[in-house]
Amino acid sequence: MVDGEPGRRPPHAPPLRRAGMIALPRGTFRQGSAEEIESMLGTATPHPLNGAKITTSAEAMDAIAEALDLPDRFGHTLDSLYDVLTDLSWLPPGEHLLLWSEPSTLRSEDRQTYDAIRTVLTEAVADDTPGESFLSVLVLTD
């Protein structure tokens, strides 16, 4: 989701309600606290990403690959990351929520890498390529 795009809700927009449960709109990138996780999960499959020890691009790529069980075609580059995140055909149908905890470790050690990965994640969730599986991201504030 990108601010200012017609027909798209900005990432800071309040969650939608579905069947009495709080749920984010399809393909959402949002920053929030750990307390928000339970209300945001809904029927999404959680994919935790513990950022406590991630200090480099290589470590971040490895951690994302492990969290989402990325296919062998993932080349550990930003372009390759975008490509696999916009085609989640190897995952079961439905929403897949990447939960990135403690992102401040990478942000403080390598701000350029952190910003680049955040950009790829933001663009991947904003991509509206049709598919049975789709990605949402919650970057937990710490």
Side-chain angles (χ1 to χ4, degrees), residues 22-98:
I22 304 252
L24 293 173
R26 178 180 172 132
T28 297
F29 186 97
R30 185 164 171 169
Q31 198 166 311
S33 66
E35 292 77 36
E36 291 183 274
I37 293 174
E38 189 172 320
S39 66
M40 296 175 86
L41 274 178
T43 59
T45 301
H47 297 272
L49 171 62
N50 183 346
K53 296 181 181 179
I54 297 173
T55 61
T56 67
S57 176
E59 291 170 351
M61 295 292 181
D62 288 344
I64 293 169
E66 183 178 334
L68 290 168
D69 193 25
L70 297 183
D72 291 338
R73 65 184 165 94
F74 174 53
H76 289 78
T77 66
L78 293 171
D79 287 340
S80 180
L81 180 61
Y82 178 83
D83 290 344
V84 297
L85 294 181
T86 56
D87 174 12
L88 302 177
S89 58
W90 76 93
L91 292 173
E95 180 179 15
H96 293 271
L97 180 61
L98 182 65

Side-chain angles (χ1 to χ4, degrees), residues 91-106:
L91 292 173
E95 180 179 15
H96 293 271
L97 180 61
L98 182 65
L99 300 163
W100 187 0
S101 63
E102 301 189 52
S104 60
T105 304
L106 180 60

